[in-house]
Structures are given as structure tokens and as C-alpha cells.
Amino acid sequence: MHPTLIGKLYYSHLNGSFMKLLLIHADYMEYEVKKKTKLAEPFDGKGERVEEVLVAFTSVEKGDNEDVVKRAAEAIRDVAKKVNAERVMIYPYAHLSSNLADAETAVNLLKRLEAELSDFEVHRSPFGWYKAFKISCKGHPLSELSREIGGEAEAEVTQALRDEEERVVSYWYILTPEKQLVEVEKFDFTGYENLRKFVNYEIAKRRAVDVVPPHVEYMKRLEIADYESASDSGHIRYYPKGRLIKTLLEQYITRKCIEYGAMEVETPIMYDRNHPTLRRYLERFPARQYIIKGDKREFFLRFAACFGQFLMLSNSTITYRNLPLKIYELTRYSFRKEQRGELVGLRRLRAFTMPDMHTVAKDMEQAMQEFFNQYRLSVEVLNEIGIEAKDYEVAIRITKDFYEENKDFVHSLVDVLKKPILIEMWDHRFFYFVLKFEFNFVDALDKASALSTVQIDVENAERYGITYVDADGKERYPYILHCSVSGAVERVMYALLEKAKFMMDEGKLPMLPVWLSPTQVRVIPVSEKFVDAAVKVAEEIERGGVRVDIDDRNETLGKRIRDAQTEWIPYIAVLGEKELESGKLTVTIRSESTQKEQKRVEVTAKELVERIKKECEGKPFMPLPLPKFLSTRPSFR
RNA sequence: GCCGCCGUGGCUCAGCUGGCAGAGCGGGUGACUUGUAAUCACCAGGUCGCGGGUUCAAAUCCCGCCGGCGGCUCCA
């Protein structure tokens, strides 16, 4: 942290105020007033007995307010409904807290609580008296519960931000390939069906489907990944095939970023919740974090690499000669506690892997130049992975001011893909960025998900104290670009699987790109007699740098062919008497076959290897992550 | 998070007006030795998601929880 800048940051602690409740569902509750204390509120009764009642022993703490009371009432109402209690008794009980509010406040808030619960028959025992009581707890599972009702500053900040976000007005346009900005209602979507779906999803948010997403079925059936119910929702297990696919994608994406000029780093996955800089960044976003309790401090799990990388940059000495400066990290994992109802398969997870590159740019001109380069890099990366421009739609989110000042630049983006772009324009800036693009994949159920994205951040350099020394010797705040060149790796896998579903709908056979296929060649000996020969051929293919396995199981040829096909294996090589004589293999090529007709060729092992090597050129390679012989291979489901 | 639907061998599902837990696939064993989408026979395998309740009796009815799917909301 730069000493000159630290003074600008202020430190605000949570004060830890909570209203404490102990809830007892009782057959009856009976109390008798004995003696006044100094704090007693006026009361002239002797006590009372209430049958079938939910008793709320309550402590009011310092800092509690009417907002807390409302939430406390909500919590009591919630429990009362669950246990089917029609009567509630509020019983002031100081012993639940060591941080009590003053008596006057406490009485006021207890009265408010009573009023908030007027939909029940409410009894309130008097505050500040010594009382004797008898209670008969019902003893069922929900009959004894405690609640802490938080009145954290954070909740209020978040609410205020939510309100502000609601006030941001969005205007929607389509930027045509001819660089016309057309209001979205006036755009003719004929010939742009996918864009229509995306726009509909973004603006109308109307969807009506009632099937399991195709990729969820595929990820299970192909033993790529599956839910892990012993973990939190949205945390997934990857079987060997899934892990291989993910490894290859991760390696490829990382290499592309490094080749682009980024320096790979690694930063921690958890950070102090009360760290002054981070805390203010967190507060800007309503989504919940995972919280981990340390020895003394509380930590949140990162939702991206921003924290670690920005802290690193703020401690670095950077000059104008170093710019643009790029650092990169593959976050395994980033954590976002997304709403439960939103979690589906590989599409949205609570723990995911994301390439996260940050670029420090000298000025807006350099930032825009980088933005443009990274836009093209993203197109290239997705394309080489197997997700083509026709598979996604471009969205640009931009503030009105920034658009007005940089019209030509924004319009130039349309030249890259030469297809219409959805533009969301905000009347003022709410987020930390002035410009952002996303590539949105539209799936088999017409749902859209963002893959690649780049943003120009105009706020965090100052917040984190990231500066560079300019040619005149003065410290300046740079602009920072956030780039996820492919989006989450899991989401890339989701897109590839959904794309396979599209292939099937078109009458083709679904498959993954050959470089990502766990088994690239399966050798099937016609009968046991040919297993040795099959092993020899497989060894030759393997030496060529291809993932190959051998189906040596005691099954009919037909059965084994069929199994290879249901595994989406790109090349199925059969070996029998005929092949031994000719020295060639009979190979079924999946990509050239259709559901009606198989494409079969006769090639030597060498020719097959050459073909595969050519298809996978420039892509990472990992050996087969499973036993080579099918007969020795376990099934993971 | 809210609303709705679902949860039965490893997988896909039947059984659900309460009355002995089933099938196919997969797995094991054996026979067969295979030429491009499922060879035959036998065997093993289940706290019916978990916890309560109603009942002589619960996979089946009721309540709560957990998990999944869909919708809403959200998505730095």
C-alpha cells in the first residue's frame, strides 16, 4: 500500500449488534411478578398464565433499532407458523446478552415488537421486574430455537445499493453491422434468431421450458461430472474424463493469456472480511459470500482474482514504461454463493474455475486499445476451443456519457464479428466500469449465459491505491481492465455439451472436439484372438501422442461398437483377420457419420495418428486418464 | 431466497385408492469366440432421500428437513 494514499481509506468496523431471541413452544407459560428493579416499567398486574404459546425470551442489544425489530418479528412469526402457535409471549430476558441496550430503548423496542406481531394474540411480560415463571416446553424438534437478528451496517449499505441499482435506467439498442444504433423494439430480427432469443432472455426474461438441461444429462452419462450432495449445492465432482477435459481447457486458456503477454501469478482464496479496502468493495455488491471463521478474524472466499491481484498491484512499483501491464491467474476456485434456485449443472456453480486477467492501462486510449485486443483474443480463444461466433451473441454494457464520447470506438467493435450487437446503455454509472462486453451462449433451452467478458474499471485503482509513475515523475491512477477470456471453464464445458445437443438435433452425431475427447481412438479386436494385435496397434497409436484404449471385454463386436458410440469416441478402429492381412484398420469416423449412416474408412495406424495430430495442432495434450483396457476400468456411476 | 413438481437396487423407472419391495440395464459367474446400435443362462444387489407423526399395518397418508428440476428474483 502506498503510504501517501492510505490516509484516504477509512476503517469501519461492524459493531456486532444483534437482538437475541430464545423461542420455546410451550403447553403453557405462567409468570408471577415479585419485585421492582430500578429499571422497571410501570405495571400493576400480578402475572398471567397463557396456554399453547410460543414464548420469545428477548434481549435487546446496543445498536438494535426498528429495522431489527421488524426482522425479529418476522423470525418469530416464521417459527409460530411452523409450530402452529396462535399465541406469542414476549418475555424480556437480559441473560441472553452481555451487550444490553439501555432500558428505555429496550422497552420501546419491545413494545414495537409487540405491535409488529399484532396478527397474533400477543402477551408481553413487564420489563424490569423480578418474576417467577413456570414453563412447560413441548419438547418436539422445533420447540426450542434461538435466533440472532442482525442489524449490521452492511445489510443497510447493501440495501441502499440495491435501491440505487433499481434507479439505474437501462436503454436497449441493437448496433447493426452497418453501425446504426437501432432501438431494440424497432430492430428486425429476421435472420438473427439466436440474437432474438438472447435479447428476449435479457429484457423480457420470459422462458417456458420443462426438461432437464441436455448438458446435465450428458455430464452424468459420459462420466464427466456429477453433483456432490455431501458438499454445498453448486460444488461438483469431476470424474477422470471430466478432469481431463477441464485440465486441457485450463492449460489451453492459460497458455493463450501468457502468449498474449500476461504474467501468471497466484493469490490466496480468502481475505479478511473487515480489511478496509476489500470491505468497501464487497459492500458494493449484494450477492452473498462464503464466510470462514479463522482464529481471530473472519474471512470471505474470493469471487474472482481481483482482490489478490489488486493488492499485489498496489504494492508494486509500476512506471509508465511497464504499461500496459497484465497479470493473470486461473482461479481454482472462485466462490459465489449464488441463489440456490439458480444453480444448474455446469452452467452456474458456487465454486468455479475462471481465467482472470487484469490489465493496468496508462490512460483511456490505452485502455480502449487493450479492450479491443482482448475482444479479439476472446473471439479467437472461444473459436479454437470449438465455440464459434454463430454460437454466441455479443452484448455491450456502457454508460451513456462514455458512449457519446467514444462512439467511433464502440462502433468499431462491430467490425470484428460483423454481426449485430445488443447494447445496454445506462443513464449513469452504478458499477465500477464504464464499458463492458460479454459473449453470451444461448443454450438448447434458450437460456443465455455469459462466457468471455472484458470491463474497463475506472474506480478500483483509486480504491486499492494502485498507481504508476508517469513520465513527469508524478504518481497517477491507471485504468484497469478485467478480462475473463473464456469465462468460467465449467461454463465452457457446459457450452460444448449443449452444442453437442444442437449437433444431434441437426441429425449429426453429438461429440466433443477431438483434442478434448478423453478417448480419441478405441481399438476393438473382433475376438479374443486379436487382442494381442490390438495392443500392438494401440501402442503404436499411443506413441504418436494420441489417447487410445482397447475394448478387450468379452462382449459381442456389436455391443462394443455401440458402447464406443455412446461414449462419443471420435475414431473407432476395428481389428480382425482382414485388418491383419491388409495392415490397415477399419475406422469409423464419428464427425463424418450421421445418425443414419456411418462413415467408415480403411487407414493405417500411422495415417490415423497423422490425421488426429493435425486436428489437434496447437492444443495441449494429456495422456489417457483411465486404464487402457476396458475390462479393467471401473464405472463411476 | 420464494412458489411449484420430483426423490424406490450403481443407472432408468414400475409399484403409490395403505396389506410379502419389482423390472430392464449395469455388476459377478459360466457358456459362446463374435465383422459394425444391445448373445444366452444363473447369481448377488434395497435403512423406498432423512427425521417425526397418523395407523393393527406406511415406499404409499400428514408435517419438517435435505437434495434435484422448472419458474420468479439475482448474476461484481
Side-chain angles (χ1 to χ4, degrees), chain A residues 377-407:
Chain A
L377 179 68
S378 299
V379 170
E380 183 186 321
V381 166
L382 288 187
N383 191 47
E384 290 185 18
I385 284 173
I387 301 168
E388 302 152 77
K390 68 173 171 60
D391 299 323
Y392 56 82
E393 298 302 328
V394 185
I396 289 176
R397 326 261 174 186
I398 191 168
T399 61
K400 193 166 194 320
D401 290 348
F402 190 85
Y403 175 76
E404 295 297 342
E405 286 160 28
N406 301 285
K407 242 180 219 181

Side-chain angles (χ1 to χ4, degrees), chain A residues 445-510:
Chain A
L445 270 32
D446 291 355
K447 296 194 180 196
S449 309
L451 293 169
S452 317
T453 180
V454 177
Q455 299 143 19
I456 300 181
D457 179 343
V458 297
E459 196 173 285
N460 278 305
E462 191 165 347
R463 170 172 294 135
Y464 280 81
I466 298 167
T467 59
Y468 70 95
V469 181
D470 211 344
D472 58 10
K474 295 213 173 93
E475 273 194 323
R476 297 216 156 77
Y477 291 117
Y479 293 105
I480 298 175
L481 286 87
H482 301 238
C483 168
S484 187
V485 76
S486 63
V489 176
E490 294 83 355
R491 194 169 270 186
V492 169
M493 292 167 72
Y494 141 85
L496 289 169
L497 292 173
E498 289 285 328
K499 207 185 155 180
K501 164 71 176 163
F502 290 139
M503 296 166 75
M504 207 170 78
D505 293 344
E506 288 163 15
K508 289 188 256 178
L509 297 173

Side-chain angles (χ1 to χ4, degrees), chain A residues 90-368:
Chain A
I90 300 166
Y91 194 101
Y93 202 66
H95 316 289
L96 295 172
S97 167
S98 54
N99 186 29
L100 289 168
D102 63 274
E104 193 188 341
T105 308
V107 173
N108 278 336
L109 291 182
L110 288 168
K111 284 180 178 167
R112 280 300 307 247
L113 183 59
E114 183 180 6
E116 287 286 338
L117 287 165
S118 56
D119 46 329
F120 290 91
E121 178 186 327
V122 200
H123 300 256
R124 186 170 66 81
S125 96
F127 182 91
W129 296 74
Y130 292 110
K131 300 179 288 278
F133 71 81
K134 278 189 195 162
I135 187 165
S136 168
C137 177
K138 283 181 173 292
H140 62 74
L142 294 177
S143 64
E144 299 170 78
L145 294 170
S146 66
R147 291 282 185 273
E148 293 188 353
I149 312 301
E152 311 171 63
E154 186 179 48
E156 287 156 29
V157 171
T158 302
Q159 188 55 48
L161 286 161
R162 267 202 196 110
D163 294 346
E164 187 185 336
E165 187 174 8
E166 275 164 21
R167 279 198 294 276
V168 176
V169 181
S170 292
Y171 300 91
W172 300 91
Y173 303 94
I174 300 291
L175 180 63
T176 70
E178 296 74 36
K179 305 190 181 178
Q180 297 296 309
L181 196 65
V182 181
E183 284 168 43
V184 81
E185 304 78 27
K186 294 182 181 157
F187 184 75
D188 178 9
F189 284 96
T190 311
Y192 300 109
E193 293 313 314
N194 225 32
L195 181 64
R196 187 206 299 273
K197 286 176 185 172
F198 171 54
V199 168
N200 184 51
Y201 184 85
E202 276 293 311
I203 303 173
K205 308 259 181 191
R206 206 190 57 77
R207 286 147 283 170
V209 278
D210 195 18
V211 281
V212 178
H215 85 275
V216 174
E217 200 199 314
Y218 289 153
M219 78 178 194
K220 292 182 179 186
R221 219 190 59 216
L222 297 172
E223 295 193 8
I224 289 172
D226 207 338
Y227 296 114
E228 175 52 79
S229 56
S231 182
D232 190 16
S233 305
H235 293 243
I236 232 166
R237 58 159 75 138
Y238 297 89
Y239 300 116
K241 291 179 192 172
R243 182 57 233 164
L244 173 81
I245 294 166
K246 196 156 171 261
T247 301
L248 292 169
L249 285 167
E250 288 169 2
Q251 287 181 359
Y252 171 72
I253 291 161
T254 297
R255 208 187 61 209
K256 292 298 282 192
C257 288
I258 291 171
E259 283 171 5
Y260 180 68
M263 299 175 267
E264 188 177 8
V265 298
E266 182 171 327
T267 60
I269 64 165
M270 57 165 85
Y271 296 90
D272 188 342
R273 210 182 161 200
N274 284 314
H275 186 284
T277 313
L278 305 182
R279 187 174 158 67
R280 289 166 66 210
Y281 188 34
L282 274 186
E283 280 171 0
R284 267 185 88 64
F285 304 106
R288 276 185 239 101
Q289 316 300 324
Y290 278 106
I291 305 295
I292 305 281
K293 281 194 173 36
D295 290 337
K296 289 182 184 163
R297 298 181 287 177
E298 279 193 337
F299 301 94
F300 66 92
L301 296 180
R302 67 176 176 193
F303 53 75
C306 306
F307 305 101
Q309 293 190 9
F310 288 175
L311 290 167
M312 187 182 279
L313 290 170
S314 78
N315 287 345
S316 306
T317 305
I318 303 166
T319 81
Y320 71 100
R321 291 178 210 276
N322 308 137
L323 305 182
L325 178 158
K326 296 155 225 158
I327 56 176
Y328 165 86
E329 178 169 3
L330 184 80
T331 65
R332 199 161 114 207
Y333 293 106
S334 286
F335 299 89
R336 298 184 189 179
K337 217 159 92 187
E338 304 286 9
Q339 300 188 83
R340 274 205 68 234
E342 277 303 314
L343 305 167
V344 211
L346 293 166
R347 187 167 104 97
R348 173 157 298 168
L349 295 162
R350 282 181 169 176
F352 58 96
T353 309
M354 183 178 71
D356 203 359
M357 176 169 74
H358 291 96
T359 305
V360 182
K362 186 170 159 3
D363 47 29
M364 192 48 85
E365 195 193 331
Q366 194 173 66
M368 288 193 290

Side-chain angles (χ1 to χ4, degrees), chain A residues 14-20 60-65 68 99 148-153:
Chain A
L14 281 179
N15 63 15
S17 155
F18 295 95
M19 177 175 273
K20 301 236 166 27
V60 181
E61 297 205 324
K62 282 199 176 77
D64 284 348
N65 54 29
V68 173
N99 186 29
E148 293 188 353
I149 312 301
E152 311 171 63

